Amino acid sequence: MHILLLNEYFPPDTSATAKCAAQVAEALAANHRVTVLAGRPSYDPIERHPHYLFRREVRGNLVVERVGSTAYPRFEMRRRVSNYLSYLALAVPRALTIQSDVVLAMTDPPIEGIAGALVARLSARPFVYNIRDMYPDMAVGGSIVRAGSFTARWEAMHRWALRRAARVVVLGEDMRDRIVAKGVDPARVVISRDGITVPETLPSPDNAVAREIRGDLRFVLVHAGNLGFYGAWQTLITAVKTLESEGVGLVFVGEGAMKSQVQSMAADCRAIRFLPFRPASEIPLVLSSGDMHVVTVKRGLEGVVVPSKLYPTLAAGRPVLGLAPEECDVVRIIRRSGCGVAANPDDSNTVVEAIRGILHDLEQIRRMSARAREIAFSYDKVNHLKIFTQTIEEVVQ
């Protein structure tokens, strides 16, 4: 069959959705024809493209078509919106001319699912909606936009797209709960978590990168990844300030839209440090560092954003501090498996209590590490892509 995949970002874009879109497209292309309709690279790309109206790349069963959207850096919202709108203005008409058996849409730009549902309806094709981040819930919950008539209309259109979908593919149980609560038939909602390839061996924790991250801190919390608006940053930083005198520190490795604000929150704390992203080849070394890795989702965004950073952390055999509401997937996994500790994103005292409970218990930390590594195999990338492929095939059949 022929699958049309709609997502603005695709490698050489470096966003998480670009990488996921590439994984899905390559997996589907093993047995089917796949056309990806993307824009000019704009999300911290490793390669930039010159101006063009359309560009086509053929790689066996996989065809990558790109429309000549604007490609401004993503950090200024007005320019990012220009990228979104120019992509949609060119991609929707082009999508209507591509003869495919099914339309598969992801969530870049944030109304891609609505655009995909429209293309599918106008061309009488089945529609599959893969929700990576749920809008407008994320925009409202992250205070990007204010709730009002605009977001109400956006939500109405999004619910229309959800009703049009033959299948809605989500990242976790919490996101599934959100979608079902919007009135979608539970039988049409499929969980396909972001998968990882679990390495057979792990680097020694006594490596140069890990030593740089740890510094002279005795017990190190590490947050490796995007510093976005979804995190309970103030709660986390307040807790570390309380624990500073007990040898606890926090190291952020990465960038993000909230980095400057988070740095301001931590300005008077010597136990909190900020390091830039490391090259991809050094990610295993970053993951080997720290006594515990932080995964955080602030209240109101449970099921709206599902941090994929949890799975490589598990694969690295590191315990997890889940700073998130109880409904979140990360907390559910911690509670079920014992791979870490969980705390209330609104109460720094619960973080302090959780860390103090394990601070001097090396045996408990060892057990959490072992459980993290053990359950990582449940989230193998091969299983994720198999579920995704079977879902698409079922819709077309």
Side-chain angles (χ1 to χ4, degrees):
M1 62 183 173
H2 185 191
I3 302 151
L4 173 61
L5 193 162
L6 304 177
N7 199 62
E8 179 186 3
Y9 300 135
F10 197 80
D13 286 308
T14 58
S15 70
T17 58
K19 296 171 186 175
C20 291
Q23 287 182 359
V24 168
E26 290 165 5
L28 292 170
N31 295 303
H32 306 287
R33 287 192 300 136
V34 179
T35 298
V36 176
L37 190 53
R40 283 174 62 217
S42 63
Y43 194 107
D44 302 339
I46 58 175
E47 170 194 342
R48 289 200 174 270
H49 288 183
H51 292 285
Y52 50 74
L53 186 59
F54 292 104
R55 173 169 168 162
R56 196 167 191 263
E57 308 159 20
V58 181
R59 313 170 190 172
N61 281 344
L62 174 60
V63 175
V64 180
E65 290 203 10
R66 297 184 186 273
V67 297
S69 53
T70 58
Y72 294 117
R74 65 188 178 90
F75 296 106
E76 187 177 331
M77 183 55 70
R78 286 184 298 176
R79 291 190 169 191
R80 191 192 302 190
V81 171
S82 173
N83 295 346
Y84 290 163
L85 296 180
S86 59
Y87 166 76
L88 291 169
L90 293 169
V92 169
R94 176 58 184 143
L96 289 169
T97 69
I98 298 174
Q99 299 300 312
S100 67
D101 298 300
V102 62
V103 176
L104 166 62
M106 292 186 173
T107 49
D108 278 317
I111 60 171
E112 185 77 278
I114 299 170
L118 177 63
V119 168
R121 179 175 182 178
L122 293 176
S123 57
R125 285 177 275 179
F127 172 51
V128 176
Y129 187 13
N130 178 210
I131 300 182
R132 312 294 310 174
D133 298 308
M134 189 156 55
Y135 289 94
D137 308 59
M138 178 181 253
V140 175
S143 301
I144 297 174
V145 297
R146 292 182 181 180
S149 59
F150 168 71
T151 56
R153 288 194 296 272
W154 187 357
E155 174 65 13
M157 289 189 292
H158 187 236
R159 292 193 182 215
W160 171 80
L162 290 170
R163 292 193 300 270
R164 286 285 308 161
R167 295 289 187 277
V168 181
V169 183
V170 298
L171 298 175
E173 297 169 26
D174 50 0
M175 187 175 280
R176 184 180 189 276
D177 292 343
R178 282 257 187 178
I179 295 299
V180 171
K182 292 178 184 288
V184 179
D185 179 1
R188 293 193 289 115
V189 185
V190 179
I191 296 175
S192 178
R193 301 178 188 276
D194 277 343
I196 38 100
T197 300
V198 181
E200 292 185 8
T201 59
L202 299 176
S204 166
D206 186 27
N207 60 75
V209 172
R211 288 196 299 271
E212 178 186 347
I213 291 172
R214 292 192 66 90
D216 59 357
L217 297 168
R218 189 173 69 80
F219 187 93
V220 183
L221 299 171
V222 173
H223 181 278
N226 184 47
L227 281 162
F229 60 83
Y230 55 81
W233 308 121
Q234 188 63 70
T235 302
L236 177 62
I237 287 170
T238 300
V240 174
K241 288 179 178 179
T242 302
L243 292 165
E244 180 179 7
S245 62
E246 299 173 48
V248 175
L250 169 63
V251 180
F252 291 99
V253 183
E255 307 294 333
M258 288 286 292
K259 183 174 181 178
S260 60
Q261 291 94 317
V262 177
Q263 286 176 318
S264 295
M265 296 175 195
D268 58 346
C269 183
R270 296 180 61 187
I272 301 177
R273 298 192 292 123
F274 295 82
L275 299 175
F277 274 128
R278 308 294 298 216
S281 60
E282 294 183 2
I283 289 176
L285 304 179
V286 173
L287 292 173
S288 72
S289 68
D291 298 283
M292 181 165 278
H293 281 248
V294 179
V295 180
T296 177
V297 177
K298 69 181 182 182
R299 191 170 304 282
L301 293 181
E302 57 273 20
V304 173
V305 56
V306 181
S308 58
K309 69 191 298 294
L310 169 66
Y311 308 114
T313 300
L314 297 176
R318 306 313 299 153
V320 180
L321 168 61
L323 184 53
E326 288 290 326
E327 299 83 0
C328 268
D329 252 31
V330 59
V331 175
R332 297 186 195 195
I333 290 170
I334 289 170
R335 300 290 191 209
R336 285 198 296 255
S337 69
C339 67
V341 295
N344 185 339
D346 303 319
D347 185 355
S348 62
N349 290 327
T350 64
V351 182
V352 172
E353 292 170 4
I355 297 301
R356 281 177 175 161
I358 62 171
L359 189 55
H360 304 291
D361 192 340
L362 295 180
E363 179 57 28
Q364 187 177 0
I365 293 174
R366 188 198 64 77
R367 287 197 301 268
M368 289 178 177
S369 298
R371 287 295 292 147
R373 176 73 174 170
E374 181 181 339
I375 67 169
F377 292 93
S378 303
Y379 307 112
D380 185 83
K381 180 171 66 176
V382 174
N383 294 331
H384 153 68
L385 295 173
K386 182 177 179 181
I387 292 171
F388 214 113
T389 301
Q390 288 175 342
T391 300
I392 300 291
E393 291 173 342
E394 287 171 3
V395 166
V396 176
Q397 292 170 359

